[in-house]
């Protein structure tokens, strides 16, 4: 099935499961993948703060 709006783009934010700001196209990922994304290229959601939940401090 193809998306009528084109293929999904890169992640905008990493969210904690159940975050009300996560979009409908959000999908769960393993903890290691979330940590890697936060460390490398994806910003944490400013509402649910997954960086704090995962123990990452700036």
């Amino acid at each position: 099935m193809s998306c009528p709006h084109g293929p999904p783009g890169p992640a905008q934010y990493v969210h904690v499961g159940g975050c009300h700001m996560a979009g409908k196209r959000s999908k769960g990922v393993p903890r290691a993948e979330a940590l890697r994304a936060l460390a490398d290229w994806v910003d944490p959601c400013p509402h649910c703060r997954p960086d704090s939940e995962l123990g990452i401090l700036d």
Side-chain angles (χ1 to χ4, degrees):
M1 176 191 269
S2 64
C3 177
H5 304 291
Q12 299 292 314
Y13 292 108
V14 171
H15 297 275
V16 171
C19 176
H20 69 280
M21 296 299 290
K24 292 180 182 178
R25 296 186 298 170
S26 294
K27 64 177 184 126
V29 297
R31 176 185 172 87
E33 188 174 340
L35 288 168
R36 191 174 328 111
L38 287 167
D40 292 345
W41 74 92
V42 183
D43 292 328
C45 171
H47 296 275
C48 65
R49 299 302 312 251
D51 50 343
S52 297
E53 186 77 21
L54 293 168
I56 300 172
L57 303 174
D58 288 335

Coordinates of all heavy atoms in Angstrom, one line a residue:
M1 N 0.9 -1.2 0.0 CA 0.0 0.0 0.0 C 0.9 1.2 0.0 O 1.9 1.3 0.7 CB -0.9 0.0 1.2 CG -1.7 1.2 1.3 SD -2.6 1.4 2.9 CE -4.1 0.5 2.6
S2 N 0.6 2.2 -0.8 CA 1.4 3.4 -0.8 C 0.6 4.6 -0.1 O -0.6 4.6 -0.1 CB 1.7 3.8 -2.3 OG 0.5 4.1 -2.9
C3 N 1.4 5.5 0.4 CA 0.8 6.6 1.1 C 0.5 7.7 0.0 O 1.3 8.0 -0.8 CB 1.8 7.2 2.1 SG 1.3 8.7 2.9
P4 N -0.7 8.3 0.1 CA -1.1 9.3 -0.9 C -0.3 10.6 -0.8 O -0.3 11.4 -1.7 CB -2.6 9.5 -0.7 CG -2.8 9.1 0.7 CD -1.8 8.0 1.0
H5 N 0.4 10.7 0.3 CA 1.2 12.0 0.5 C 2.6 11.7 0.3 O 3.5 12.5 0.6 CB 0.9 12.5 1.9 CG -0.5 12.7 2.2 ND1 -1.2 13.7 1.6 CD2 -1.4 12.1 3.0 CE1 -2.5 13.7 2.0 NE2 -2.6 12.7 2.9
G6 N 3.0 10.6 -0.3 CA 4.4 10.3 -0.6 C 4.9 9.4 0.6 O 4.2 9.1 1.5
P7 N 6.2 8.9 0.4 CA 6.8 8.1 1.4 C 7.0 8.8 2.7 O 7.2 10.0 2.7 CB 8.1 7.6 0.8 CG 8.4 8.7 -0.2 CD 7.1 9.3 -0.7
P8 N 7.0 8.1 3.8 CA 7.2 8.8 5.1 C 8.7 9.3 5.2 O 9.6 8.7 4.6 CB 7.0 7.7 6.2 CG 7.1 6.4 5.4 CD 6.7 6.7 4.0
G9 N 8.8 10.5 5.8 CA 10.1 11.1 5.9 C 10.8 10.6 7.2 O 10.4 9.7 7.9
P10 N 12.0 11.2 7.4 CA 12.7 10.8 8.6 C 11.9 11.3 9.9 O 11.1 12.1 9.8 CB 14.0 11.6 8.5 CG 13.7 12.8 7.6 CD 12.6 12.3 6.7
A11 N 12.3 10.6 11.0 CA 11.6 10.9 12.3 C 11.9 12.4 12.6 O 12.9 12.9 12.5 CB 12.1 10.0 13.3
Q12 N 10.8 13.0 13.2 CA 10.9 14.4 13.6 C 11.3 14.4 15.1 O 12.1 15.3 15.5 CB 9.6 15.1 13.5 CG 9.2 15.2 12.0 CD 10.1 16.1 11.2 OE1 10.4 17.2 11.6 NE2 10.5 15.7 10.0
Y13 N 10.7 13.5 15.9 CA 11.0 13.5 17.3 C 11.0 12.0 17.8 O 10.3 11.2 17.2 CB 9.9 14.2 18.1 CG 9.9 15.7 18.0 CD1 8.9 16.3 17.3 CD2 10.9 16.5 18.6 CE1 8.9 17.7 17.1 CE2 10.9 17.9 18.4 CZ 9.9 18.5 17.7 OH 9.9 19.8 17.6
V14 N 11.6 11.7 18.9 CA 11.5 10.5 19.6 C 10.5 10.8 20.7 O 10.6 11.8 21.4 CB 12.8 10.0 20.2 CG1 12.6 8.8 21.1 CG2 13.8 9.6 19.1
H15 N 9.5 9.9 20.9 CA 8.5 10.0 21.9 C 8.5 8.9 22.9 O 8.9 7.8 22.5 CB 7.1 10.0 21.3 CG 6.8 11.2 20.4 ND1 6.4 12.4 20.8 CD2 6.9 11.3 19.0 CE1 6.3 13.2 19.7 NE2 6.6 12.5 18.6
V16 N 8.0 9.1 24.1 CA 7.7 8.0 25.0 C 6.4 7.4 24.6 O 5.5 8.1 24.1 CB 7.6 8.6 26.5 CG1 7.1 7.6 27.4 CG2 8.9 9.2 27.0
G17 N 6.3 6.1 24.8 CA 5.0 5.4 24.4 C 3.8 6.0 25.0 O 3.9 6.4 26.2
G18 N 2.8 6.3 24.2 CA 1.6 6.9 24.8 C 1.6 8.4 24.7 O 0.6 9.0 25.2
C19 N 2.6 9.0 24.2 CA 2.7 10.5 24.2 C 1.6 11.0 23.3 O 1.3 10.6 22.2 CB 4.0 11.0 23.6 SG 4.2 12.8 23.4
H20 N 0.8 12.0 23.8 CA -0.3 12.6 23.0 C 0.2 13.4 21.8 O -0.7 13.7 20.9 CB -1.2 13.5 23.9 CG -0.5 14.7 24.4 ND1 0.4 14.8 25.4 CD2 -0.6 16.0 23.9 CE1 0.9 16.0 25.5 NE2 0.3 16.8 24.6
M21 N 1.4 13.7 21.7 CA 1.9 14.5 20.6 C 2.4 13.6 19.4 O 2.7 14.1 18.3 CB 3.1 15.4 21.0 CG 2.6 16.5 22.0 SD 1.4 17.6 21.3 CE 2.3 18.5 20.1
A22 N 2.5 12.3 19.7 CA 3.0 11.4 18.6 C 1.9 11.3 17.5 O 0.8 11.2 17.8 CB 3.3 10.0 19.2
G23 N 2.4 11.3 16.3 CA 1.5 11.3 15.2 C 0.9 9.9 14.9 O 1.4 8.9 15.5
K24 N 0.0 9.8 14.0 CA -0.7 8.5 13.7 C 0.3 7.5 13.0 O 0.1 6.3 13.1 CB -1.9 8.7 12.8 CG -3.0 9.4 13.5 CD -4.2 9.6 12.6 CE -5.3 10.4 13.3 NZ -6.4 10.6 12.4
R25 N 1.3 8.0 12.4 CA 2.3 7.2 11.7 C 3.4 6.7 12.6 O 4.3 6.1 12.2 CB 2.8 7.9 10.5 CG 1.8 8.2 9.4 CD 2.4 8.7 8.2 NE 3.0 10.0 8.4 CZ 3.8 10.6 7.6 NH1 4.0 10.2 6.4 NH2 4.3 11.8 7.9
S26 N 3.4 7.1 13.9 CA 4.5 6.8 14.8 C 4.5 5.3 15.0 O 3.4 4.6 15.0 CB 4.3 7.5 16.1 OG 4.4 8.8 16.0
K27 N 5.7 4.7 15.2 CA 5.8 3.3 15.5 C 6.7 3.1 16.7 O 7.7 3.9 16.9 CB 6.2 2.5 14.3 CG 7.6 2.9 13.8 CD 8.1 2.0 12.7 CE 9.5 2.3 12.3 NZ 10.3 1.2 12.3
G28 N 6.5 2.0 17.4 CA 7.4 1.7 18.5 C 8.8 1.2 18.0 O 8.8 0.6 16.9
V29 N 9.8 1.5 18.7 CA 11.1 0.9 18.4 C 11.8 0.4 19.7 O 11.4 0.8 20.8 CB 12.0 2.0 17.7 CG1 11.5 2.5 16.4 CG2 12.3 3.2 18.7
P30 N 12.7 -0.5 19.5 CA 13.4 -1.0 20.7 C 14.2 0.1 21.4 O 14.6 1.1 20.8 CB 14.4 -2.1 20.2 CG 13.8 -2.4 18.8 CD 13.1 -1.2 18.3
R31 N 14.4 -0.1 22.7 CA 15.1 0.9 23.5 C 16.5 1.3 22.9 O 16.8 2.5 22.8 CB 15.4 0.4 24.9 CG 16.2 1.3 25.8 CD 16.4 0.6 27.2 NE 17.3 1.4 28.0 CZ 17.0 2.4 28.8 NH1 15.7 2.7 28.9 NH2 17.9 3.0 29.5
A32 N 17.3 0.3 22.4 CA 18.6 0.6 21.8 C 18.4 1.5 20.6 O 19.3 2.4 20.4 CB 19.3 -0.7 21.4
E33 N 17.4 1.3 19.8 CA 17.2 2.1 18.6 C 16.8 3.6 19.0 O 17.3 4.5 18.4 CB 16.2 1.5 17.7 CG 16.1 2.2 16.3 CD 15.1 1.5 15.4 OE1 14.8 0.3 15.6 OE2 14.7 2.2 14.4
A34 N 16.0 3.7 20.0 CA 15.6 5.0 20.5 C 16.8 5.8 21.0 O 17.0 7.0 20.7 CB 14.5 4.9 21.5
L35 N 17.7 5.1 21.8 CA 18.9 5.7 22.3 C 19.8 6.2 21.2 O 20.4 7.3 21.2 CB 19.6 4.8 23.2 CG 19.0 4.5 24.6 CD1 19.6 3.3 25.3 CD2 19.0 5.7 25.4
R36 N 20.0 5.3 20.2 CA 20.8 5.6 19.0 C 20.3 6.8 18.3 O 21.0 7.8 17.9 CB 20.9 4.4 18.1 CG 22.0 4.6 17.0 CD 22.2 3.3 16.2 NE 21.9 2.1 16.9 CZ 20.9 1.2 16.7 NH1 20.0 1.5 15.8 NH2 20.8 0.1 17.4
A37 N 19.0 6.9 18.1 CA 18.4 8.0 17.3 C 18.6 9.3 18.1 O 18.9 10.3 17.5 CB 16.9 7.7 17.1
L38 N 18.3 9.3 19.4 CA 18.5 10.5 20.2 C 20.0 10.9 20.2 O 20.2 12.1 20.2 CB 18.1 10.2 21.7 CG 16.5 10.1 21.9 CD1 16.2 9.6 23.2 CD2 15.9 11.5 21.6
A39 N 20.9 10.0 20.2 CA 22.3 10.4 20.3 C 22.8 10.9 18.9 O 23.7 11.7 18.9 CB 23.1 9.1 20.7
D40 N 22.2 10.4 17.8 CA 22.7 10.7 16.5 C 22.0 11.8 15.7 O 22.7 12.6 15.2 CB 22.7 9.4 15.7 CG 23.7 8.4 16.1 OD1 24.6 8.8 16.9 OD2 23.6 7.3 15.7
W41 N 20.7 11.8 15.7 CA 20.1 12.7 14.8 C 18.6 13.2 15.1 O 18.2 14.1 14.5 CB 20.1 12.1 13.4 CG 19.1 11.0 13.2 CD1 17.8 11.2 12.7 CD2 19.3 9.6 13.4 NE1 17.2 9.9 12.6 CE2 18.1 9.0 13.1 CE3 20.3 8.9 13.9 CZ2 17.9 7.6 13.2 CZ3 20.2 7.5 14.0 CH2 19.0 6.9 13.6
V42 N 17.9 12.5 16.0 CA 16.5 12.9 16.2 C 16.4 13.6 17.5 O 16.9 13.2 18.5 CB 15.6 11.6 16.2 CG1 14.2 12.0 16.3 CG2 15.8 10.8 14.9
D43 N 15.6 14.7 17.5 CA 15.4 15.5 18.8 C 14.4 14.7 19.7 O 13.5 14.1 19.2 CB 14.8 16.8 18.4 CG 15.8 17.7 17.8 OD1 17.0 17.6 18.0 OD2 15.4 18.6 16.9
P44 N 14.5 14.9 21.0 CA 13.5 14.4 21.9 C 12.2 15.2 21.9 O 12.3 16.5 21.7 CB 14.1 14.4 23.3 CG 15.1 15.5 23.1 CD 15.6 15.5 21.7
C45 N 11.1 14.6 22.0 CA 9.8 15.4 22.1 C 9.9 16.3 23.3 O 10.2 15.8 24.4 CB 8.6 14.4 22.2 SG 7.1 15.2 22.6
P46 N 9.6 17.6 23.2 CA 9.7 18.5 24.3 C 8.5 18.3 25.3 O 8.5 18.8 26.4 CB 9.6 19.9 23.7 CG 8.9 19.7 22.3 CD 9.3 18.3 21.9
H47 N 7.5 17.5 24.9 CA 6.3 17.3 25.8 C 6.6 16.1 26.7 O 6.3 16.1 27.9 CB 5.1 17.1 25.0 CG 4.7 18.3 24.3 ND1 4.0 19.4 24.8 CD2 5.0 18.7 23.0 CE1 3.8 20.3 23.9 NE2 4.4 20.0 22.8
C48 N 7.0 14.9 26.1 CA 7.1 13.7 26.9 C 8.5 13.4 27.4 O 8.8 12.5 28.2 CB 6.6 12.5 26.1 SG 7.5 12.1 24.6
R49 N 9.5 14.1 26.8 CA 10.9 14.1 27.3 C 11.5 12.6 27.4 O 11.9 12.2 28.4 CB 11.1 14.8 28.6 CG 10.8 16.2 28.6 CD 11.6 17.0 27.6 NE 13.0 16.7 27.6 CZ 13.9 17.6 28.1 NH1 13.6 18.8 28.5 NH2 15.2 17.2 28.1
P50 N 11.6 11.9 26.2 CA 12.1 10.5 26.3 C 13.6 10.5 26.7 O 14.0 9.5 27.2 CB 11.9 10.0 24.9 CG 11.9 11.3 24.0 CD 11.2 12.3 24.9
D51 N 14.3 11.6 26.5 CA 15.7 11.6 26.9 C 15.8 11.5 28.4 O 16.6 10.8 28.9 CB 16.4 12.9 26.4 CG 15.6 14.2 26.7 OD1 14.4 14.1 27.0 OD2 16.3 15.2 26.6
S52 N 14.9 12.1 29.1 CA 14.9 12.0 30.6 C 14.4 10.6 31.0 O 15.0 10.0 31.9 CB 13.9 13.0 31.2 OG 14.4 14.3 31.0
E53 N 13.4 10.1 30.3 CA 12.8 8.8 30.6 C 13.9 7.7 30.4 O 14.0 6.7 31.1 CB 11.6 8.5 29.7 CG 10.9 7.2 30.0 CD 10.0 7.3 31.3 OE1 9.6 8.4 31.7 OE2 9.7 6.2 31.8
L54 N 14.7 7.9 29.4 CA 15.8 6.9 29.1 C 17.1 7.1 29.8 O 18.0 6.4 29.6 CB 16.0 6.9 27.5 CG 14.9 6.3 26.7 CD1 15.1 6.6 25.2 CD2 14.7 4.9 26.9
G55 N 17.1 8.2 30.6 CA 18.3 8.4 31.4 C 19.4 9.2 30.7 O 20.6 9.1 31.1
I56 N 19.1 9.9 29.6 CA 20.1 10.7 28.9 C 20.0 12.1 29.4 O 18.9 12.7 29.4 CB 19.8 10.7 27.4 CG1 19.8 9.3 26.8 CG2 20.7 11.6 26.6 CD1 19.4 9.2 25.4
L57 N 21.1 12.7 29.8 CA 21.1 14.0 30.3 C 22.0 14.9 29.4 O 23.0 14.5 28.9 CB 21.7 14.1 31.7 CG 20.9 13.3 32.8 CD1 21.6 13.3 34.1 CD2 19.5 13.8 32.9
D58 N 21.5 16.1 29.1 CA 22.3 17.0 28.3 C 23.4 17.7 29.1 O 23.3 18.0 30.2 CB 21.4 18.1 27.7 CG 20.5 17.5 26.6 OD1 20.9 16.5 26.0 OD2 19.4 18.1 26.3

